Amino acid sequence: MIFWRRSLPVLITFVLGVTFALQYYVPLPASEALLSGVSVWNQIIAAFAAILGVTSLLHVHYTKIRRKEAGWGYSVVLYLSMLATLVVGFWSGGESENSAFGWLYNYILVALSSTMFSILAFFVASAAYRAFRARSLEATILLAAAVFVMFGRVPLGEYLVSGVGQISDWIMSVPNTAARRGIIIGISLGGIATSIKIIFGIERAYLGGGRD
Amino acid sequence: MNDFARRMLSLDRRLIFLLIAVVTLLPLLYPFRLPIRVSPEAQKIYDYIESLPEGSVFLLSLDFDPSSKPELYPMSIALLRHAFRKNLKVVGMTLWITGTSMAESVIAGVAQESGKEKGKDYIFLGYAPGGANVIISMGQDLYAAFPTDYYGVKTAELPMLKEVRTLRDIQYAISLSAGSPGVETWYVYGKEKYGFELGGGCTAVSAPGLYPLIDTGQINGLLGGLRGAAEYETLVGVPGKATAGMDAQSATHFLIIFLIMVCNLLYFLTGQEGRRRG
Amino acid sequence: MEIRGWGLAMSELIPPESIVAIPSSLAGEACPERSRRGQEGELLRPRLCLTLPHLVSLPRGEREPALNRLVKWRKLGLAHICPLLQPALLLFLLLVYCLPAAAFDAPQEVEAFDMPSDGGGSIGLRWRAAPVDSSTTSYRIFVSEQDNGEFKQIAEFPANSHYETAVTIPWWVWGSKHQDIHFFQVKSNATVRLTDGRPYFFKVEVTDGQENAESPSVSTVPQANLFNWAKLNNLLIMLAFSVTVLAAIRHARVNPNIFLRRIPGLDAVEEAVGRATEMGRPILYMTGSDDMSSLATIAATVILGEIAKRVATYGTDLKVPHRDPIVMAICQEVVKESYLAAGRPDAYKEDANFFITSDQFSYTAAVDGIMLRERPAANFFMGAYYAESLLLAEPGAATGAIQIAGTDSDHQLPFFITSCDYTLIGEELYAASAYLSREPVLVGTLRGQDLGKGFFLAVIVLGTLLVTLGVLLGTPVFRTFFQFFGDFK
């Protein structure tokens, strides 16, 4: 059992990890074909993962309804909404133009998604009011940069203070880029290190806990 | 004074929400239309599309869902108008499943407005699952990655794709992305391997993170947020929703700056009072 | 004017005032410039020797201006010329005007070769640049599948372009690049399909639109290469870093007391768990928006394991809402093992990990609802996040919970920093798992990463200095160093 649950997945990870790390350096058509073959398999797995997600969702909410846990009414709403969308989708033949399915998409999904994203604008304002304080020198510099960029990114700011647009562009393309690069380098090295640990079986969290 | 400052510092956030709502709404009802300066990053994308010969293949990947529609939809309209005006062959697609319908409607809508014919001047491939794997598949064999287009027509039979077998055969690609898979995915698995030129468009919050890619030439330009969309509408000469939204954005930015100034003033007042007592 | 080859020396017949200075663009072969002193001792402008071969080698359109500038008929003083020489001169001029333009020299040293370090379907052509290369002439490339077959033109470009110096292949693959060598790469495309293993024949032609000269045909066979040597630097750096990390892990196993910088966010973990236990309220832990292939999600899972051990010890309630079912399944195992390790398997709850939805904002709305209803005492945002970051953190801040975030999504960091009490930035998230567990493997990995970062920091500083020096001195000698850190395809 240990072999199937632990050793075999680690062996597969090692073989495939080394193979596809080296694939990057081998320009043969067979190498490219191998990569695209594996990509197709990944696409198939991604599609099945979607099914797994739906199954898990239905199971979790079914359990909530059965046990009448707190908020089980929302689980019923979820079931009904899912059913309605499926029925309408099949009835419309998957067509979104001038169909009931399109109506659901445009007037429910699009509206709700846009609304949720728009809440960010309000939250940014309240977070800024609560947290953007010049408590230290660094915070003050950060604040000044933020004000310049906010001024410079809108026409009214550029109209009132000429040149602030260029200052804003400079802040974005010089100090901001430099800082991002440093973070990207650090994250990339961390990523490579973690990948090495996974390939060599040192890190096995993806198997469900445990480390060498 | 100290009490007032402290009360103001713990102002109910709902009042702030109300202020934001009013300040956003008023300029939409009473616009003041200021000129929009075009940034070098947006200009680079415009100039590159201008330099493409007629008939070049332009791939537009609309990698966003309805939540990012306010920022990226006007961007896609402006880009498509430009591409159709230059008589480029447009290939549309998306890597985000919930954005498929929206992507189809924007491409078909602008194409109809520009008098373009489906299959001959533009196609819409639709959605395929897998993100980066889709890009790799397209790089090897586009017909295998998308056996049919969104409308069910075999891609191998589309006249427009006769000379476009892989991503190496396209002249320019732009990914309008709200996250991952997005611009970085298109660079790492697309341009890096298959060598086509790549541009980017993104939400305002992602834009600062993509600036390093411009400097290194990994992407040749960037449209950032509603501002980027408004800049491109200015370049194309057809103002739209993004240009209209800039007034509201101006007002909102100013309100946030005002709130930050006020909170810092109040913070210093409470701090000074505290120090005087000490 | 001296005209060599004709035995005609007219210089003595030319009055001093006929000596003219002409632009160097009309200068012919090397000819001693002799400055002369006039009769009054004044310095006369140097004469130019213009030879007949050079004159006829000029393009037809340039001969007349050259003659007009050189020969000032009045100043030549034809009356001074020996009558016998007049017909010779007339004959000479007739020949100059009537002779056909000499043909271009065909491109020299044309060579075709298989492009190195590629997947096949590509051939390189090299030939020596000619002195007459200019924007008015152009090169055409022809290809055929047979030596005596029909050649098809596949490219044309100005003769003063496409030099070897523009090749973007590193020195360890290509060698030195010369400014006087033209280079053109023939790649498989819609116009020409190069099949590996089959010979192809090429000709290079130079033309000015009227005349042309063609090289003999050269051939080569395109092949796919086993290894892309242009990426050798990438492989070596990757191997060096991998060895460094593995060596650091081995060293940490032997000597586990490696110094780790204090990360304030992680110190607060104990405080957060303790606070939740005292208040009798749950801990809310999120593993981010990405799936298990994301390194941030893996790091978040490891940290969840450590926090679950503490939660198991204190008997606090733990809630872990998920966006991905596979991540949920893995986290269930992780938490169960943590409870086992803490000696509290009885306290483990199967539904501590639960799946909500994979849709971004639906998940966010659901979690906000949990925060507002159940009012957890501590919120952990670990992993990769997107636009939902502030939508999660701000309601959490409104409920008064202690919030600790850790993400490598640098575009979301500003939102977490403003809304959370502690934030782990970038690879601090990866370091967090080492810091909490103090396991030699994880600590050793951190050390290896830091060594790598130190190396790249040194390279950046040194590279910046060398670039500056190279620009100031105007020397390309430092390119050898830069190319080792370049990205080649």
Side-chain angles (χ1 to χ4, degrees):
Chain A
M1 200 59 192
I2 300 275
F3 174 77
W4 296 108
R5 280 179 63 97
R6 293 272 184 222
S7 308
L8 183 61
V10 170
L11 184 63
I12 292 172
T13 306
F14 175 77
V15 169
L16 289 178
V18 170
T19 304
F20 284 96
L22 293 176
Q23 185 278 330
Y24 180 70
Y25 304 99
V26 177
L28 294 172
S31 161
E32 295 293 321
L34 182 69
L35 179 65
S36 53
V38 165
S39 303
V40 170
W41 276 103
N42 280 342
Q43 282 181 268
I44 295 168
I45 292 168
F48 273 100
I51 299 171
L52 185 63
V54 171
T55 314
S56 185
L57 180 75
L58 291 173
H59 173 74
V60 162
H61 287 279
Y62 170 71
T63 311
K64 269 186 110 164
I65 295 170
R66 192 166 51 87
R67 290 184 194 166
K68 294 221 174 10
E69 289 174 13
W72 68 273
Y74 293 110
S75 299
V76 174
V77 171
L78 182 135
Y79 260 88
L80 291 174
S81 310
M82 199 182 269
L83 192 64
T85 310
L86 270 171
V87 165
V88 169
F90 277 119
W91 184 47
S92 307
E95 290 290 327
S96 55
E97 210 171 314
N98 299 322
S99 68
F101 186 61
W103 190 93
L104 277 181
Y105 179 83
N106 288 320
Y107 295 107
I108 296 182
L109 181 65
V110 171
L112 286 172
S113 302
S114 305
T115 305
M116 283 297 295
F117 198 64
S118 306
I119 295 174
L120 267 179
F122 301 95
F123 281 4
V124 160
S126 70
Y129 185 74
R130 195 188 63 247
F132 281 11
R133 293 179 196 178
R135 289 194 182 97
S136 62
L137 177 64
E138 294 87 358
T140 310
I141 294 171
L142 186 65
L143 201 56
V147 168
F148 271 115
V149 172
M150 278 195 283
F151 253 92
R153 292 290 290 176
V154 291
L156 185 58
E158 290 170 316
Y159 179 75
L160 290 174
V161 183
S162 75
V164 75
Q166 279 77 17
I167 296 174
S168 162
D169 284 347
W170 181 87
I171 291 172
M172 294 289 279
S173 47
V174 181
N176 163 67
T177 304
R180 297 280 175 184
R181 277 210 190 104
I183 294 175
I184 287 170
I185 290 172
I187 290 170
S188 304
L189 288 177
I192 296 170
T194 308
S195 302
I196 292 163
K197 287 192 298 179
I198 291 171
I199 288 172
F200 285 95
I202 299 169
E203 178 64 66
R204 291 198 292 263
Y206 64 96
L207 290 177
R211 205 165 293 115
D212 188 17
Chain B
M1 189 58 162
N2 196 23
D3 286 339
F4 170 74
R6 283 188 209 284
R7 271 206 313 275
M8 287 302 293
L9 280 174
S10 29
L11 187 71
D12 190 334
R13 61 190 66 209
R14 287 173 293 187
L15 278 171
I16 297 173
F17 296 163
L18 185 63
L19 276 172
I20 291 283
V22 167
V23 160
T24 308
L25 190 59
L26 283 175
L28 291 173
L29 297 172
Y30 306 105
F32 41 89
R33 295 261 187 274
L34 288 167
I36 294 169
R37 180 187 64 93
V38 176
S39 65
E41 295 78 37
Q43 187 71 50
K44 281 175 192 166
I45 291 185
Y46 182 84
D47 291 342
Y48 193 82
I49 293 182
E50 277 290 302
S51 73
L52 290 173
E54 205 173 285
S56 300
V57 180
F58 169 57
L59 182 111
L60 184 65
S61 188
L62 299 154
D63 305 322
F64 59 95
D65 61 1
S67 57
S68 309
K69 186 178 175 184
E71 284 182 285
L72 299 178
Y73 201 83
M75 213 181 271
S76 49
I77 292 175
L79 280 166
L80 285 165
R81 280 189 177 138
H82 191 198
F84 286 133
R85 196 176 70 195
K86 288 285 301 175
N87 294 322
L88 305 181
K89 304 287 180 201
V90 175
V91 178
M93 59 171 285
T94 177
L95 297 173
W96 289 43
I97 188 169
T98 43
T100 312
S101 206
M102 195 174 50
E104 192 271 337
S105 73
V106 71
I107 291 176
V110 179
Q112 191 181 30
E113 173 196 293
S114 311
K116 297 297 175 182
E117 193 183 319
K118 185 167 67 183
K120 198 163 136 263
D121 301 310
Y122 79 95
I123 57 165
F124 181 60
L125 297 171
Y127 164 80
N133 298 298
V134 176
I135 299 170
I136 294 170
S137 291
M138 289 173 75
Q140 299 297 316
D141 187 345
L142 199 145
Y143 304 152
F146 287 95
T148 65
D149 70 357
Y150 182 73
Y151 310 101
V153 178
K154 285 204 174 78
T155 43
E157 290 169 11
L158 287 167
M160 215 186 86
L161 290 184
K162 219 167 33 168
E163 310 228 326
V164 182
R165 239 209 117 81
T166 72
L167 287 176
R168 289 179 215 273
D169 301 324
I170 64 165
Q171 278 71 59
Y172 193 37
I174 290 182
S175 166
L176 300 182
S177 73
S180 181
V183 177
E184 281 162 309
T185 319
W186 272 98
Y187 173 73
V188 172
Y189 298 100
K191 178 176 172 176
E192 211 275 343
K193 290 181 74 62
Y194 306 110
F196 52 87
E197 189 58 89
L198 178 69
C202 63
T203 51
V205 77
S206 311
L210 292 176
Y211 270 74
L213 273 67
I214 304 173
D215 258 4
T216 50
Q218 287 161 315
I219 55 174
N220 77 336
L222 182 69
L223 301 175
L226 195 69
R227 168 68 193 236
E231 289 173 12
Y232 213 82
E233 285 177 357
T234 307
L235 285 167
V236 170
V238 185
K241 291 209 168 113
T243 308
M246 289 313 294
D247 290 341
Q249 190 165 334
S250 294
T252 319
H253 275 216
F254 269 70
L255 175 64
I256 293 176
I257 292 169
F258 173 73
L259 287 171
I260 292 171
M261 298 295 185
V262 163
C263 95
N264 274 282
L265 181 66
L266 295 169
Y267 172 69
F268 278 117
L269 279 175
T270 53
Q272 277 182 348
E273 287 276 349
R275 276 193 291 276
R276 249 186 252 131
R277 277 202 206 125
Chain C
M1 172 171 80
E2 285 181 308
I3 302 178
R4 296 197 190 129
W6 285 81
L8 192 67
M10 293 173 66
S11 55
E12 287 74 24
L13 301 174
I14 302 171
E17 60 270 25
S18 73
I19 297 167
V20 292
I22 63 163
S24 58
S25 59
L26 293 181
E29 296 170 2
C31 176
E33 284 184 23
R34 292 175 287 164
S35 59
R36 285 176 52 189
R37 295 270 170 196
Q39 286 167 352
E40 281 76 39
E42 74 278 17
L43 188 67
L44 301 174
R45 285 175 290 175
R47 289 180 298 180
L48 174 85
C49 302
L50 185 71
T51 63
L52 178 59
H54 173 71
L55 192 62
V56 299
S57 73
L58 287 175
R60 195 185 291 282
E62 289 181 29
R63 289 178 202 160
E64 190 170 341
L67 277 174
N68 288 340
R69 281 183 217 129
L70 283 170
V71 178
K72 297 203 170 199
W73 296 108
R74 282 183 298 164
K75 290 194 178 171
L76 257 180
L78 283 171
H80 297 285
I81 296 170
C82 171
L84 282 178
L85 294 173
Q86 281 183 15
L89 179 62
L90 282 169
L91 179 64
F92 159 69
L93 290 170
L94 261 169
L95 283 172
V96 161
Y97 276 101
C98 300
L99 265 176
F104 289 114
D105 283 341
Q108 302 293 309
E109 299 174 32
V110 179
E111 181 195 345
F113 54 93
D114 172 45
M115 284 297 289
S117 300
D118 67 350
S122 182
I123 282 170
L125 295 172
R126 245 194 311 235
W127 63 97
R128 187 162 290 284
V132 296
D133 282 347
S134 69
S135 55
T136 57
T137 54
S138 53
Y139 283 108
R140 290 177 183 157
I141 311 292
F142 295 86
V143 67
S144 169
E145 293 188 15
Q146 284 149 9
D147 196 8
N148 300 319
E150 188 193 336
F151 279 78
K152 187 172 68 169
Q153 181 179 332
I154 55 170
E156 181 170 356
F157 49 86
N160 61 350
S161 66
H162 285 72
Y163 291 96
E164 203 181 28
T165 42
V167 170
T168 55
I169 293 176
W171 53 266
W172 60 85
V173 179
W174 194 264
S176 52
K177 294 169 191 163
H178 302 97
Q179 284 179 336
D180 60 346
I181 300 285
H182 284 292
F183 169 77
F184 182 81
Q185 185 176 0
V186 181
K187 282 193 222 181
S188 263
N189 53 36
T191 324
V192 55
R193 292 248 171 238
L194 298 177
T195 308
D196 294 342
R198 186 188 281 185
Y200 290 88
F201 299 85
F202 295 89
K203 285 184 185 173
V204 181
E205 180 187 88
V206 62
T207 179
D208 66 352
Q210 290 168 342
E211 282 91 27
N212 51 37
E214 195 178 77
S215 72
S217 86
V218 290
S219 78
T220 190
V221 178
Q223 299 282 10
N225 301 105
L226 183 62
F227 184 76
N228 186 348
W229 290 98
K231 292 181 182 174
L232 179 66
N233 59 334
N234 184 303
L235 178 65
L236 289 176
I237 293 173
M238 191 266 287
L239 286 174
F241 181 66
S242 306
V243 164
T244 305
V245 168
L246 293 172
I249 291 171
R250 193 185 162 106
H251 174 73
R253 282 194 173 127
V254 169
N255 176 23
N257 298 320
I258 294 178
F259 170 73
L260 281 183
R261 165 175 79 82
R262 184 178 157 267
I263 301 173
L266 292 180
D267 288 345
V269 167
E270 287 283 351
E271 180 195 337
V273 175
R275 187 167 182 262
T277 310
E278 278 170 22
M279 295 171 80
R281 296 205 324 230
I283 289 173
L284 190 66
Y285 188 99
M286 277 146 282
T287 54
S289 300
D290 275 354
D291 55 24
M292 215 56 211
S293 63
S294 162
L295 299 161
T297 311
I298 293 173
T301 311
V302 171
I303 298 170
L304 172 64
E306 297 304 317
I307 289 178
K309 278 184 199 159
R310 287 161 172 75
V311 162
T313 308
Y314 297 134
T316 320
D317 207 9
L318 177 66
K319 288 186 182 300
V320 190
H322 288 280
R323 266 187 80 172
D324 185 283
I326 295 174
V327 174
M328 181 191 76
I330 290 167
C331 287
Q332 275 172 335
E333 290 293 320
V334 166
V335 171
K336 194 196 275 190
E337 288 216 8
S338 296
Y339 272 74
L340 270 169
R344 296 292 312 275
D346 52 301
Y348 171 68
K349 287 183 195 159
E350 185 75 32
D351 54 5
N353 286 270
F354 53 99
F355 177 75
I356 296 181
T357 176
S358 41
D359 183 72
Q360 184 180 22
F361 291 113
S362 311
Y363 171 83
T364 308
V367 172
D368 285 348
I370 293 170
M371 282 183 195
L372 292 171
R373 284 192 304 274
E374 304 191 30
R375 306 189 86 83
N379 297 327
F380 290 88
F381 307 99
M382 299 289 175
Y385 290 87
Y386 300 98
E388 73 276 12
S389 57
L390 188 64
L391 295 176
L392 290 169
E394 187 63 10
T399 62
I402 180 170
Q403 303 202 116
I404 301 172
T407 182
D408 61 356
S409 308
D410 53 301
H411 37 90
Q412 303 305 320
L413 282 170
F415 302 118
F416 281 132
I417 287 170
T418 49
S419 312
C420 296
D421 298 283
Y422 301 97
T423 307
L424 307 176
I425 297 173
E427 73 269 40
E428 283 182 341
L429 174 66
Y430 311 140
S433 54
Y435 192 90
L436 280 174
S437 63
R438 281 284 168 177
E439 281 204 24
V441 166
L442 301 176
V443 171
T445 311
L446 265 189
R447 173 53 60 94
Q449 274 173 240
D450 280 353
L451 289 171
K453 266 186 269 179
F455 172 71
F456 281 113
L457 194 61
V459 165
I460 289 168
V461 170
L462 183 63
T464 308
L465 287 171
L466 290 178
V467 163
T468 312
L469 206 59
V471 166
L472 289 173
L473 299 175
T475 172
V477 76
F478 300 120
R479 277 190 205 149
T480 307
F481 169 77
F482 299 145
Q483 286 205 346
F484 190 72
F485 296 96
D487 177 33
F488 298 102
K489 305 287 177 275

